[in-house]
Amino acid sequence: MSNSIEEITSVIGAERIGKHQATIDWILTDSRSMCFPEETLFFALKTKRNDGHKYIPELYARGVRNFVVTDVPEQLSHYADANFLQVGNTLKALQRLAAKHREQFQVPVVGITGSNGKTVVKEWIYQLLSPEKVITRSPRSYNSQIGVPLSVWMMNEHTELGIFEAGISEMGEMEALQPIIQPTIGVLTNIGWAHQENFSSLQDKCMEKLQLFKDCDVIIYNGDNELISSCVSKSLFTSREIAWSMKDNERPLFIEKIEKDDTGTTIKYRYLGFLKEYRIPFIDDASIENSLNALAVALYLMVSPEDIAERMAHLEPVAMRLEVKEGKNGCVLINDSYNSDFASLDIALDFMARRTEDKGRRRTLILSDILESGQPSKLLYRQVADLVHSRKVDRIIGVGEEISAAASRFEIDKRFFRTTTELIESGILSSLRNEVVLIKGARVFHFDDITDLLELKVHETILEINLEALVDNLNYYRNKLKPDTKMVCMVKASAYGAGSFEIAKTLEDHRVDYLAVAVADEGADLRKAGINSSIIIMNPELTAFKTMFDYKLEPEVYSFHLLEELIKAAGREGVSNFPIHIKIDTGMHRLGFAPEEIPALVDRLHRQSAVIPRSVFSHLVGSDAERFDSFTRRQIETFENASAELQAGFSHKILRHICNTAGIERYPGAQFDMVRLGIGLYGIDPFTNKILHNVGTLKTTILQIHDVPADETVGYSRKGILTRNSRIAAIPIGYADGLNRHLGNGNAYCLVNGQKAPYVGNICMDVCMIDVTDIDCKEGDKAIIFGDELPVTILADKLNTIPYEILTSVSNRVKRIYYQN
Ligand SMILES: *Cc1c(COP(=O)(O)O)cnc(C)c1O
């Protein structure tokens, strides 16, 4: 739903500087999430740790033109075509805008608050109701003073039900959230110790939370919880109540019986006089309680008990983030270094205990202080110790002042350190052998450094990458673009073998608009390494949508099947408006929608809100060859029409792009909004087969030199037949490193001290032999496999292939080294 900048200015009571026309679809508070710059309004929020005003120059450079600020930038002339809406408090302005947005909708809205289980209850209500309703809900656990307005902003004309979480950590905060959510149905999950530090009592906290429900039609809660029950009666609300109870059969929802067995729990309940039952595939008490809250909402919204039972049976656990990696010295690493609350520790320990493939291994837990638990430290670490003992952890390595102070509570093998650096310097990490290691710490402890040290990495022969040459190539192609044309840089296949992270970082520093990789894991690795640029996934796997959502990786969508799976996955994960890139097949006949499918595609996209097209593109099959020019022109024309048809179905701008490297060079008229630069970035001009600025040099070192008489042979199968007395050098690179075996037996050469040294005999797996009879050289000298003086295109020609294949064949075990001249 679009809003004009005038309307927004008046709603938030801002002073407007700049008179530029703008329509706003997107609200942004975190510059890393930027996606649709043209239609974005950025709120420069000031928090304890950060100030959003810092990011204005960067966002402006990336195309954002509308900003809500408290302080107008000093050099306004740098922001010629921008609007600045100046207010006294940007957070309050954001909340006000969201509250005003909420007022437009007359649909039921569920507001969920409580100390635990909010996200699970929200997701389960969603799972019970989504088959019949279009639901807008908080993504993940967006429940803060900032997260709630961003969530509510996602409601649109299709929304039939809203489900939003509200979390608070201080008195007075619920008063701000209530007008934004304006729930008609209130769910209070439970009241516990989380965030207790800012409340004088549990009762205070409970009363504060109930503020959310002051205008609700109905309130749902656990009637057996005395604290909650007494607070609800004290609040004097006139709303209807659905208190569920296992003890009191006068309550509107009476739970008659709960039966657990090995695979699930069957729950019998009485509602409006009828006795019904359902079953869930969980047996823990928290899940049972969560399901009861979700049940009450579904009953209130008149889902039939039969449908409820059917859907409860298939409830899915709410996703979480745990990574398993191969470690050094036979260790298995479970990495959960993103958060550190007690509940997630329990889940992670449970996961470690269950991994049957690790049976018999010692279990080590590396754990930091648990921050912001709201519990007294003594109580907290007693609980942690109990958990650690009951989950059969063999050793704990604790990091932080608080956990160190509680050392005596742990009755297992243990070590404690005040900081992560102290732990690393102790050398204890290198003593871990054949263990399962769970690494779990609050972000501030930087446990990523620990994971880094423990992870398995192998190095050999090196591939040197000249980053300056890369930038020169980038600029070479940039100079061919019109000023407004955007650029995607292809960093798929480890940046054509050059290594994705450094290449991506360099490109990000030079502000390219998009990066593209082949598969989700490549993108996730970039995100983990700190790359914030927008990333497109060209070959999204059906099994990796969650990775894409977690890391904000934007998939290419090329078929209805893929689209449906994506929409389904987005539904499960609580994701909406996720950007996607539509591929059209204009003649490659590899992947893509046929042009005739566009109307059906537009229609399908209109009937969902999980994804939103950010760009539309196609791929040229022969842009590097004159003989295909008429075919290429036909592809461009087909694309022009099909992409225009897609765009016509939407009010927001959809970027169009078709040119690859050769297309940029040869079809300047087909730049549309964006181009995709690949091989040219790595220094190869695909049209002339010339090297622009050489980026990669594959080199190794002579291990040993033998004088071999004329009647001997070299290597396997006696293939290296010598016709003269020779000097034969062995170098540590073989076909397992990506040195193609067909280069052997004199078909090609490497360079030693600038001279050609032919490969002798068959290339082995890890080593090969070269003839250096005529070359002045010694052991330890360098051998260049390809690089400046031996272009990769020569090897490609010898192998009757393309340079792309040679570059991407250099295997992972070859260490990449980066330099700038
Ligand atoms: C790899 C790729 C490119 C880049 O092609 P180059 O010839 O390397 O410039 C562009 N578009 C798509 C869809 C690709 O897969």
Side-chain angles (χ1 to χ4, degrees):
M1 276 173 115
S2 306
N3 292 262
S4 74
I5 195 82
E6 287 80 14
E7 282 167 304
I8 293 177
T9 307
S10 114
V11 168
I12 64 176
E15 170 137 12
R16 179 167 164 196
I17 295 132
K19 297 221 170 344
H20 306 279
Q21 182 81 8
T23 311
I24 300 302
D25 284 338
W26 304 93
I27 285 184
L28 184 71
T29 58
D30 180 338
S31 61
R32 290 167 300 183
S33 311
M34 206 268 293
C35 184
F36 297 93
E38 300 86 354
E39 295 101 20
T40 289
L41 177 61
F42 177 71
F43 281 77
L45 300 179
K46 288 184 177 170
T47 62
K48 280 185 202 114
R49 263 161 273 123
N50 211 343
D51 181 355
H53 292 80
K54 274 201 321 222
Y55 302 96
I56 293 175
E58 174 202 329
L59 287 166
Y60 183 82
R62 291 166 67 194
V64 179
R65 290 294 175 268
N66 297 286
F67 302 90
V68 179
V69 298
T70 50
D71 313 316
V72 178
E74 283 173 12
Q75 290 166 306
L76 260 181
S77 56
H78 291 186
Y79 304 95
D81 50 350
N83 293 306
F84 289 95
L85 310 187
Q86 190 174 23
V87 295
N89 179 324
T90 46
L91 176 62
K92 288 270 169 287
L94 170 66
Q95 295 180 337
R96 196 135 152 214
L97 182 61
K100 190 79 186 172
H101 182 72
R102 166 68 181 93
E103 278 173 14
Q104 306 170 57
F105 302 97
Q106 309 303 322
V107 299
V109 168
V110 184
I112 307 173
T113 190
S115 301
N116 295 306
K118 293 187 287 292
T119 305
V120 177
V121 171
K122 176 193 73 194
E123 292 303 317
W124 284 1
I125 294 173
Y126 174 81
Q127 291 178 28
L128 295 179
L129 284 148
S130 61
E132 49 241 10
K133 285 204 190 311
V134 177
I135 298 175
T136 300
R137 68 197 199 278
S138 328
R140 321 209 153 267
S141 45
Y142 266 38
N143 62 30
S144 67
Q145 297 288 306
I146 301 168
V148 168
L150 293 179
S151 304
V152 169
W153 179 258
M154 292 164 40
M155 291 181 85
N156 62 35
E157 62 267 40
H158 306 295
T159 304
E160 294 168 338
L161 173 70
I163 316 176
F164 302 108
E165 285 178 46
I168 53 167
S169 51
E170 288 175 28
M171 291 299 280
E173 287 189 334
M174 204 53 101
E175 207 184 335
L177 297 184
Q178 192 278 337
I180 307 173
I181 300 180
Q182 294 172 43
T184 59
I185 301 168
V187 180
L188 185 57
T189 57
N190 59 18
I191 296 293
W193 288 97
H195 294 296
Q196 188 57 40
E197 61 271 23
N198 297 319
F199 298 91
S200 52
S201 68
L202 280 181
Q203 174 150 340
D204 272 1
K205 184 160 65 175
C206 188
M207 292 306 287
E208 170 76 16
K209 294 203 168 189
L210 284 172
Q211 286 308 304
L212 180 62
F213 303 153
K214 66 177 187 201
D215 297 325
C216 278
D217 301 331
V218 63
I219 305 178
I220 290 163
Y221 62 95
N222 175 356
D224 295 337
N225 182 314
E226 283 171 22
L227 171 71
I228 297 179
S229 292
S230 87
C231 289
V232 172
S233 19
K234 264 178 61 184
S235 71
L236 301 174
F237 292 151
T238 52
S239 22
R240 195 178 147 194
E241 289 171 24
I242 304 184
W244 51 265
S245 172
M246 304 180 194
K247 298 176 190 154
D248 178 357
N249 63 12
E250 303 279 289
R251 292 285 196 177
L253 176 55
F254 177 56
I255 311 307
E256 290 221 340
K257 204 168 193 181
I258 294 182
E259 279 174 333
K260 298 185 188 182
D261 54 46
D262 287 349
T263 58
T265 307
T266 304
I267 295 163
K268 291 196 169 67
Y269 63 93
R270 192 175 288 281
Y271 183 70
L272 301 177
F274 293 100
L275 184 61
K276 299 284 175 186
E277 70 173 54
Y278 68 90
R279 182 177 167 79
I280 54 170
F282 304 95
I283 53 175
D284 60 296
D285 291 341
S287 294
I288 293 169
E289 191 167 330
N290 291 335
S291 80
L292 291 170
N293 283 316
L295 168 74
V297 174
L299 289 170
Y300 177 75
L301 289 172
M302 309 218 281
V303 183
S304 75
E306 292 68 35
D307 285 342
I308 291 176
E310 153 72 25
R311 293 168 197 170
M312 284 280 192
H314 299 107
L315 282 186
E316 290 184 31
V318 174
M320 42 173 227
R321 181 173 355 217
L322 279 177
E323 266 177 338
V324 180
K325 293 181 170 174
E326 195 179 349
K328 288 179 184 158
N329 301 322
C331 288
V332 172
L333 311 180
I334 303 174
N335 189 17
D336 192 12
S337 52
Y338 300 98
N339 57 11
S340 79
D341 56 289
F342 185 76
S344 72
L345 174 64
D346 186 19
I347 291 167
L349 284 172
D350 180 41
F351 179 81
M352 171 154 81
R354 277 182 207 205
R355 278 182 50 93
T356 44
E357 53 274 51
D358 302 328
K359 274 226 162 67
R361 287 175 194 259
R362 227 171 116 87
R363 293 185 189 137
T364 293
L365 167 65
I366 306 182
L367 179 67
S368 78
D369 282 352
I370 294 180
L371 304 176
E372 292 167 24
S373 73
Q375 283 198 35
S377 168
K378 266 198 180 136
L379 179 62
L380 173 67
Y381 291 99
R382 185 159 67 214
Q383 288 177 354
V384 170
D386 287 348
L387 197 61
V388 163
H389 297 147
S390 74
R391 298 287 192 192
K392 310 234 175 322
V393 173
D394 297 295
R395 163 162 60 179
I396 180 162
I397 299 174
V399 180
E401 306 275 354
E402 289 185 10
I403 197 166
S404 298
S408 62
R409 301 215 170 267
F410 295 89
E411 290 159 7
I412 49 174
D413 187 358
K414 57 190 171 188
R415 288 287 297 275
F416 291 88
F417 302 91
R418 283 184 317 148
T419 64
T420 304
T421 315
E422 277 183 24
L423 161 61
I424 288 172
E425 285 170 358
S426 75
I428 190 174
L429 294 178
S430 55
S431 71
L432 304 179
R433 292 249 165 347
N434 298 316
E435 305 177 29
V436 194
V437 186
L438 171 61
I439 302 160
K440 182 137 184 65
R443 246 172 231 275
V444 292
F445 284 89
H446 294 292
F447 272 16
D448 289 358
D449 296 345
I450 299 178
T451 319
D452 236 29
L453 285 170
L454 292 177
E455 235 180 296
L456 188 68
K457 291 176 197 122
V458 190
H459 315 306
E460 285 283 315
T461 296
I462 62 166
L463 178 61
E464 266 182 8
I465 304 294
N466 181 347
L467 294 173
E468 207 164 85
L470 180 91
V471 173
D472 289 343
N473 294 327
L474 174 68
N475 290 334
Y476 172 84
Y477 286 98
R478 266 190 172 165
N479 284 335
K480 297 184 181 290
L481 302 183
K482 303 191 195 84
D484 292 341
T485 308
K486 295 178 191 292
M487 191 185 262
V488 185
C489 283
M490 309 306 289
V491 294
K492 60 189 179 189
S494 267
Y496 289 50
S500 17
F501 169 68
E502 266 78 7
I503 301 295
K505 184 81 189 99
T506 306
L507 295 169
E508 182 168 82
D509 290 346
H510 285 82
R511 302 187 178 284
V512 305
D513 302 281
Y514 268 98
L515 301 174
V517 295
V519 295
D521 275 351
E522 288 186 288
D525 288 344
L526 288 179
R527 285 280 184 259
K528 285 181 217 161
I531 298 295
N532 297 320
S533 305
S534 301
I535 298 179
I536 305 177
I537 306 295
M538 309 300 292
N539 271 318
E541 313 98 304
L542 297 178
T543 50
F545 291 136
K546 174 151 170 21
T547 307
M548 295 175 220
F549 300 143
D550 282 351
Y551 292 102
K552 199 146 191 299
L553 306 170
E554 307 173 10
E556 161 183 327
V557 171
Y558 52 78
S559 72
F560 285 108
H561 175 62
L562 176 60
L563 180 62
E564 293 304 333
E565 293 297 321
L566 182 60
I567 292 171
K568 238 191 272 168
R572 273 199 304 273
E573 300 290 335
V575 166
S576 54
N577 283 324
F578 203 74
I580 59 170
H581 302 267
I582 304 288
K583 183 179 231 175
I584 300 177
D585 179 13
T586 55
M588 177 84 149
H589 302 318
R590 182 171 65 177
L591 298 171
F593 289 95
E596 306 78 65
E597 290 176 318
I598 301 289
L601 176 61
V602 169
D603 178 58
R604 181 65 187 99
L605 288 170
H606 280 167
R607 286 186 296 103
Q608 55 83 47
S609 60
V611 299
I612 180 163
R614 173 61 178 145
S615 87
V616 55
F617 71 105
S618 187
H619 198 31
L620 297 173
V621 305
S623 55
D624 57 351
E626 273 161 354
R627 66 184 187 284
F628 299 126
D629 279 351
S630 66
F631 187 82
T632 303
R633 278 192 290 272
R634 213 154 61 228
Q635 276 197 287
I636 293 169
E637 192 187 321
T638 309
F639 174 69
E640 168 111 53
N641 296 331
S643 60
E645 193 177 359
L646 182 79
Q647 173 67 79
F650 296 87
S651 58
H652 72 278
K653 169 91 187 145
I654 302 177
L655 302 171
R656 300 156 83 194
H657 46 116
I658 192 167
C659 282
N660 54 359
T661 302
I664 299 173
E665 180 101 48
R666 305 196 51 241
Y667 292 91
Q671 289 176 11
F672 294 94
D673 302 306
M674 189 147 85
V675 295
R676 301 186 304 273
L677 181 62
I679 192 88
L681 202 47
Y682 308 97
I684 293 156
D685 178 336
F687 181 50
T688 60
N689 225 15
K690 291 233 164 60
I691 301 290
L692 298 161
H693 301 275
N694 184 60
V695 172
T697 301
L698 181 59
K699 56 166 74 165
T700 186
T701 312
I702 295 177
L703 293 177
Q704 196 176 25
I705 298 181
H706 286 292
D707 289 312
V708 187
D711 52 349
E712 288 285 301
T713 61
V714 175
Y716 282 118
S717 309
R718 305 205 67 188
K719 283 283 201 175
I721 296 162
L722 300 181
T723 54
R724 58 174 178 170
N725 293 338
S726 305
R727 285 181 84 215
I728 301 297
I731 53 177
I733 180 168
Y735 56 80
D737 299 290
L739 187 67
N740 194 303
R741 207 166 156 275
H742 294 108
L743 295 171
N745 297 311
N747 289 333
Y749 55 87
C750 61
L751 294 181
V752 174
N753 297 333
Q755 295 180 21
K756 294 179 183 175
Y759 297 107
V760 186
N762 282 330
I763 289 172
C764 312
M765 189 185 288
D766 309 308
V767 181
C768 67
M769 278 67 82
I770 51 178
D771 184 343
V772 293
T773 312
D774 302 322
I775 303 175
D776 181 15
C777 66
K778 57 183 188 308
E779 290 173 7
D781 281 358
K782 291 271 171 274
I784 308 285
I785 311 301
F786 64 74
D788 266 328
E789 292 131 89
L790 175 44
V792 70
T793 44
I794 291 190
L795 298 189
D797 289 346
K798 300 257 183 218
L799 289 167
N800 202 8
T801 182
I802 48 177
Y804 300 73
E805 189 182 357
I806 312 280
L807 291 176
T808 55
S809 298
V810 178
S811 75
N812 279 336
R813 77 178 189 192
V814 174
K815 187 173 182 182
R816 271 70 173 166
I817 296 197
Y818 300 87
Y819 70 99
Q820 319 224 357
N821 281 340

